[in-house]
Amino acid sequence: MTTEPLALPKADWPEWLDDYVRGGLRTAAETVAQLKAATPGDTVEVLERWNDADIALRDAGSAAHLFAEVHPDAEVRRLADELLQEVERARTARDLDRELYDLVAATDPATPDDASARMRAHVLRDFRRAGVDRDDATRDRLREISERLTVLEQEFGRTIREDVRAVRVPPERLDGLPADFVTAHPPGADGLVTITTDYPDYLPFRTYARDAAARRDLTAEFESRGWPANDAVLHEILDLRDEKARLLGFDSWPDYDAEVKMIGSGAAIAAFVERVAEAADAAGRRDLDTLLARGRRDDPTAAHIDRSEVGYYTELVRREQYDVDAREVRRYFDFSRVRAGLLEVTGRLFGLEYRPVDVPRWHPEVTVYDVYADGERRGRIYLDLHPREGKYKHAAQFDLVGGVTGRLLPEGVLVCNFSRGLMEHQHVVTLFHEFGHLIHHVLGGRQRWARFSGVATEWDFVEAPSQMLEEWAWDAAVLASFAVDETGAAIPSELVDRMRAAKDFGKGIAILTQVGYTEVSYLLHQDRPADHDALVTAAVSRHSRVAGLPNTHFQASFGHLAGYTSAYYTYLWSLVIAKDLFSAFDPADLFEPAVAQRYRDRVLAPGGVRDAAESVADFLGRPFTFDAFATWLDRTPTPVTAS
């Protein structure tokens, strides 16, 4: 083992990836064999050997998963998918190995330190949740289910990744779009302009295009990605998850999945959904009434606002009533300056330095930095931030290497799909959000046990640090440090004040839309209906009251159903915590060193070595509450201009 970063190849990617992943698999298998063959040692000795196997499997799986999503060569992506299946088969075999379970269970629970005791308890819990204590036939079926789910979840994600759709329109239907967008989308030989469902096209078009029919056409394509191919895939995924949960003694998949999360049970998810829906109801009604009133100025017969209209009319209301024109705001957010500003802001906040390094990477647009704290290298980060064919279509942080104290530096990858020129401020916020995961991975990457390294808390906490970091992308002083227009003038503080007021408009619908997605995630797993479309339409429209588009199939491209399964509620649960965490910071000085350092040391640095609620309480001096979130929802936005 070494504390040097992983050396990626300059070429020969298939050979390197195959050797790296298979090498990890061999190491894991050899370590498990040695563990079984050795004379039983004390608890820590057994856990150390387990840790060695854990490291090998985890890093092999991380590399395969990452390059299946981002590598520009389709052959490398295909190979990565196959290798990931092998890693998951090895992990499933280990977790169902009764001899190995008995060996760990026979160790003394009286370990010399809390982290080791937690490690032992989590390993045994993972064994139980895999079904190691079931009879042979049940274990065989659980193995089949796990292996099949790996294949299906890959297929689900790959279909979304590769299904880039488009509408082709005459140039005049770009009316309302910013000039740089129009320039970047010249007509083709047939005189038509191609607008794709990738985010740099989709977000501006649905926000600014005055042509309602064109917006509706693009939205319909966006919300039907993955259809019909993913329909049967999703049905099988849901059925297999339910079968697995029941074989393990649970009433449903949500109950199985929630057992190891902060929320605790499937029923608690349903209760939480209703609590948030009730809290956001007044704000949602207020927002929708305002949008509908504005829509009726264009069409007096309008009876509702639909999914293709909500972004457009939200932007109009913000422009007309809050004096915020997002087309003008984006002038201040040149991508290169935003990226540099992000590094400066987070470096100052967390006491970090980012040093660019010229090392092999999978695409020329990927930038790489070594991360230093107190003059010591703490990790390496890769920023892969622009769309390309075959690449992951959303925004996420991927692990490459998990940190282990004295052995491995944490390495993480930010994968997004932003414009190469001017960015929407919404995308600036997204960049800050996703970078929060990357910081958590690096700062939480000094752990003895790989099981607790980085973003290794309960899964319904992982979004909270990222959601809190979004607040820095709304601060006037922070933005003025990097947001400048083409003349070099910084974004005016008065504009940022109006942006913040405008942000409060629409939050009710935004939260209720998330509630709808949460209910989709939960009920698809809880009820497993034959007709997914009907459930999705009912859940999303019931909460947000924004009408869906006919003949669309949102769930077929709802990629979070693969990774988050029934736990999409995580985003709302974490947001409740994030609002409470942010209440500890002084809005007049978001860089106040004592608070920032305490947050870094007590929330981020522990990784998963203790429960998330304990880390939050350690930082706040009390358990987290719903209060800050409710107060934020109740805050009524004040227009600055007459409607």
Side-chain angles (χ1 to χ4, degrees), residues 171-449:
E172 58 268 22
R173 298 184 78 179
L174 270 60
D175 182 38
L177 272 299
D180 64 298
F181 184 97
V182 175
T183 300
H185 293 76
D190 59 359
L192 299 179
V193 176
T194 299
I195 308 295
T196 75
T197 54
D198 279 346
Y199 282 106
D201 278 8
Y202 175 67
L203 178 62
F205 198 85
R206 71 186 293 268
T207 303
Y208 306 124
R210 293 193 179 100
D211 190 313
R215 285 198 317 271
R216 190 172 294 112
D217 289 345
L218 184 64
T219 303
E221 292 294 341
F222 182 85
E223 298 203 344
S224 292
R225 292 170 302 145
W227 181 269
N230 270 346
D231 183 50
V233 174
L234 182 57
H235 274 281
E236 188 176 356
I237 286 173
L238 297 172
D239 288 345
L240 289 175
R241 286 174 180 164
D242 184 76
E243 183 184 355
K244 177 178 179 177
R246 294 180 187 281
L247 286 173
L248 292 169
F250 293 85
D251 291 337
S252 68
W253 177 267
D255 280 327
Y256 169 79
D257 188 61
E259 182 198 30
V260 292
K261 294 180 169 62
M262 298 178 78
I263 205 164
S265 70
I269 297 175
F272 178 69
V273 165
E274 294 306 318
R275 183 179 186 185
V276 176
E278 181 179 351
D281 183 68
R285 289 180 184 276
R286 182 176 63 236
D287 291 345
L288 189 62
D289 288 346
T290 302
L291 292 184
L292 188 54
R294 180 58 186 84
R296 283 173 175 159
R297 287 169 50 189
D298 293 342
D299 177 7
T301 67
H304 58 254
I305 295 292
D306 70 30
R307 298 266 288 177
S308 72
E309 296 172 317
V310 65
Y312 176 74
Y313 281 112
T314 297
E315 166 62 15
L316 278 186
V317 169
R318 288 173 175 166
R319 189 183 311 162
E320 295 169 357
Q321 298 189 25
Y322 296 87
D323 194 22
V324 175
D325 186 340
R327 294 171 302 182
E328 293 299 308
V329 170
R330 67 200 297 275
R331 293 172 40 239
Y332 294 95
F333 295 108
D334 171 76
F335 168 78
S336 296
R337 292 194 185 100
V338 170
R339 182 179 60 192
L342 169 76
L343 297 179
E344 194 282 328
V345 168
T346 55
R348 180 182 171 192
L349 181 63
F350 297 116
L352 303 175
E353 179 189 358
Y354 304 98
R355 301 181 188 176
V357 288
D358 185 11
V359 295
R361 52 209 188 276
W362 52 95
H363 191 274
E365 288 187 317
V366 176
T367 53
V368 190
Y369 303 84
D370 281 346
V371 184
Y372 286 77
D374 303 319
E376 179 184 3
R377 185 164 57 183
R378 294 289 298 270
R380 176 169 288 179
I381 60 173
Y382 297 77
L383 306 183
D384 186 351
L385 302 179
H386 304 303
R388 59 179 176 270
E389 183 180 355
K391 180 187 167 185
Y392 180 75
K393 293 302 176 190
H394 196 49
Q397 182 258 321
F398 289 78
D399 294 353
L400 180 56
V401 177
V404 178
T405 304
R407 299 175 66 176
L408 293 169
L409 284 173
E411 299 185 53
V413 183
L414 205 58
V415 180
C416 302
N417 290 275
F418 300 134
S419 166
R420 294 168 178 84
L422 298 179
M423 297 176 68
E424 305 294 323
H425 181 251
Q426 180 179 338
H427 276 171
V428 177
V429 175
T430 298
L431 179 57
F432 271 73
H433 173 102
E434 298 300 342
F435 201 79
H437 292 306
L438 204 56
I439 290 291
H440 200 175
H441 177 70
V442 171
L443 291 180
R446 280 190 164 181
Q447 309 296 338
R448 177 182 185 181
W449 307 113

Side-chain angles (χ1 to χ4, degrees), residues 20-93:
Y20 179 76
V21 174
R22 293 189 188 282
L25 289 170
R26 286 193 300 272
T27 297
E30 291 166 0
T31 304
V32 167
Q34 292 166 4
L35 185 57
K36 290 181 177 181
T39 301
D42 67 19
T43 302
V44 173
E45 289 176 352
V46 170
L47 293 178
E48 288 285 8
R49 288 181 181 269
W50 179 274
N51 199 41
D52 291 342
D54 232 16
I55 291 168
L57 277 179
R58 178 201 57 187
D59 290 347
S62 293
H65 183 202
L66 171 68
F67 295 122
E69 298 285 3
V70 305
H71 203 279
D73 186 332
E75 179 60 24
V76 174
R77 297 197 301 270
R78 181 199 60 76
L79 171 63
D81 272 339
E82 293 175 357
L83 290 170
L84 184 57
Q85 292 172 21
E86 293 193 36
V87 173
E88 292 303 321
R89 280 196 293 271
R91 184 176 284 117
T92 298

Side-chain angles (χ1 to χ4, degrees), residues 235 238-239 242 246 251-254 270 519-532 535 539 566:
H235 274 281
L238 297 172
D239 288 345
D242 184 76
R246 294 180 187 281
D251 291 337
S252 68
W253 177 267
E519 190 161 277
V520 167
S521 161
Y522 172 69
L523 289 180
L524 283 177
H525 287 85
Q526 184 70 21
D527 297 349
R528 293 181 299 117
D531 185 350
H532 289 175
L535 184 148
S566 57

